[in-house]
Amino acid sequence: MSNDKKFTELSRRGFIKSSIAAASAAAVPTVFVSNANAYVNAPKGKTVTLGFNVPQTGAYADEGADELRAYKLAVKHLNGEGDGGLMNTMKPMALKGNGILGKKVTYATGDTQTKSDAARASAKRMIEKDGAVMITGGSSSGVAIAVQSLCQEAGVIFMAGLTHSNDTTGKDKRRHGFRHFFNTDMSGSALGPVLESEFGKERTAYHLTADYTWGWSQEGSIKDTTEKLGWKTKAAVRTPLGAGDFSQYITPVLNSGADVLVLNHYGKDMVNSLTQAVQFGLRDKNVNGNDFQIVVPLFSRLMAQGAGKNIQGIYGTTNWNWSLKDAGSQAFVKSFGAEYGFPPSQAAHTCYVQTLLYANACELAGTFDPCGVITALEGFKFDGMGNGATEYRAEDHQCFKDVLVVQGNDKPSSQFDLLKVVKEVPRKQVEYPASKLGGELGSCNNA
Amino acid sequence: MKSIVLSTKKRDYTTLLVFAVIVFTAPLWGKIIGAGYPDLLQKFAIFGLFAIGYNILFGLTGYLSFGHAAFLGVGSYVTVWSFKLLTMNAIPAVLLAIVFSGVFALLIGFLSLRRSGIYFSILTLAFAQMSYNLAYSVLTPITNGETGLRVLTSDPRVVDTALGYTIEGSPLATLFGTTLTGYPGFYFCAVVLVLGFWLSLKIFRSPFGMKLVAIKTNQTRMEYTGFNHRPYLLCAFVISGMYAGLAGGLLAVVDPLAGAERMQWTASGEVVLMTILGGVGTLFGPIIGAATIKYFENIFSGIGDTALAEIFSFLPDAVSNLLITIISPFVGSGWHLTLGILFMLIIIFLPGGMSQGFQKIADKIKQKNKKSSTSEVKLEKDGIA
């Protein structure tokens, strides 16, 4: 009896094992067939899918919403709908207004939640499920870097959205990643001379820094610049991303002996920290015989809107502002305004431009194959996109163009007229050798 | 809990077999519900494992831990460090993840289990939040803070170097030559999930499992009968911590990156939700719950207005526009809202979770089939649980 039982048990176990093996063996072949393409997600039908990965929740949700608006607008224009926007001013341009390479552009969206994990998960979904041939977006450098390396591994192109850290095209650069936005090094170089002429050489700075790759990068760049001017750095305090309440970090500034507060914050963090700094009376203080000043190295109109009157007179830099008068900027503001009823932010601008640049590169290369697209984008020179003559440097996939130094407007003429452009710093003043920031691009991956 | 007494070995093997078949055919049935892509399937398996382990503590002993994400995070960090320092092979990495998270769980469990009920929950929450803050801003040389810990081509990897392996392109986890991304990664997780499920089944059926249930039912009575409950409780805590560490390790295997947000209290809360949604103290419940939440997070969050418009395109414009206006707040970025409603409905109408729902349906069907012999129905009732 007991022998019998053992026998049946053993065979049952064997049965389980063999059926597991059989089940997995049956499932495996169906899996590999779908990957037998020349390159990942080669568009088969009449459409091509782009993946828009933006923060819809979290500290950068406002920027994310504006980015998504811009992407949708870009898709419209690429498909020949609407007024064409920057496709009227971009040069040289290979786009025909019939989609990309004759294929209608569709898109998938994802929520990065401003977290690397979530961003990678949604990017993977768009690559693996929705068949996206290019991923773009990200309103945080941490996220952008994480998604960029994912895209390198997966063999699709990543067109970075709002990411300002040096590392994106510095030590974490990838062959598959491209950035139109400027970086903290350029912000530092552009801001330096203005800070010197406005505030002098005898200053002591106190940094509050968002504690992640972008914050560190910006703190480093601004420190470099200001210390070259002769400023001292009192302290650099790291604050968690999305802290909400910054009072515990601002109180120590009051009696630190510093006379300039540098806020290396962005999005809602910057709105909160600046508002609280003003409420604490920092700007009314007089330290070492100097008026206390606040500097926000990376500025955007969306943040200015959030911070209200507090931003008046505060200096910073920005990639682009809707008040620019060149034909490209005007065309973009006009078509964005017609669509949504308000002017676009710098985040919207860079995302829109990135989408067009990608599409244009596909047309130039005559294929969606990432290796071809990369070759077309590397060293690509263009104009009429709102920043003047611009170049995608081949060595680090960073765009080089003029940088704007802006100041919070004292007398805004409308609720959107919040930043006034103090200076357009020419490209050659913010340029640096690619070797300065290190990193390896690696090779193109279309396996 | 009757099931523990009634079940036979035969039934357990059938359960395991059914489970294994369901798991290994996931790429096929996943396609039908729009989840048939490797990343989400990997998440199903990994968070299923996480929830199974959590259920051993919460389901059996009734101790509600709010800090299990800490072990998940420890597992991820250990795995990535193993990739950086030792080898890209996944086996030593996950083993180390289990060991380290086990030790960590022993430490936290030893301290937290001095209290029970809400105080225990708060203690675990506090420890997890401490771990999160440590990972986020204090131990940045080890964790790389917000940016997250990544595997770099330039890392030493002593074992790989000694064996003469070199990395071309991006470093990815391997299993003796097979790269563990995409479907191979899923199958690796799936095998671990089935093994984890089997172990959990064994624990449910064992005398040890009985003691854990006794802790939940009546701790005082258990002590009167001569059992010191604390060692059992600590053991359950460590086991579930090791499960969490293993899950964290797998997360890093399929995607070699570890971020502090994995340890945040919301991640701890998520596993509680998964377990309750699926059914506390049941075998399958936690996995169902984990899959449901991950499905919502990944699929519902991706449905936008355009996708809705496509779905309703067969209707007249006015009707479809109305439907889109009604539904759109519940999909896309509003997926939390739908999940919240689902969670509320389940708690109110099915306190035993989704597996209770399935049980009820199964019972209904059985009753129809076996109306004549009601006595048998009662015996059959232990079907799932």
Side-chain angles (χ1 to χ4, degrees), chain A residues 155-176:
Chain A
V156 300
I157 298 283
F158 177 66
M159 301 297 283
L162 189 74
T163 158
H164 187 234
S165 169
N166 284 340
D167 293 347
T168 313
T169 49
K171 81 177 169 53
D172 292 310
K173 65 188 172 193
R174 291 285 182 277
R175 183 67 64 183
H176 282 242

Side-chain angles (χ1 to χ4, degrees), chain B residues 152-208:
Chain B
L152 307 172
T153 324
S154 54
D155 287 328
R157 270 185 286 279
V158 278
V159 178
D160 280 359
T161 319
L163 295 174
Y165 291 126
T166 48
I167 305 263
E168 285 163 23
S170 319
L172 295 169
T174 58
L175 188 68
F176 308 112
T178 316
T179 305
L180 292 178
T181 49
Y183 281 105
F186 163 69
Y187 280 108
F188 181 72
C189 298
V191 169
V192 178
L193 173 67
V194 171
L195 291 176
F197 179 78
W198 181 72
L199 183 64
S200 136
L201 189 80
K202 283 282 163 202
I203 291 175
F204 267 63
R205 305 296 189 235
S206 68
F208 171 67

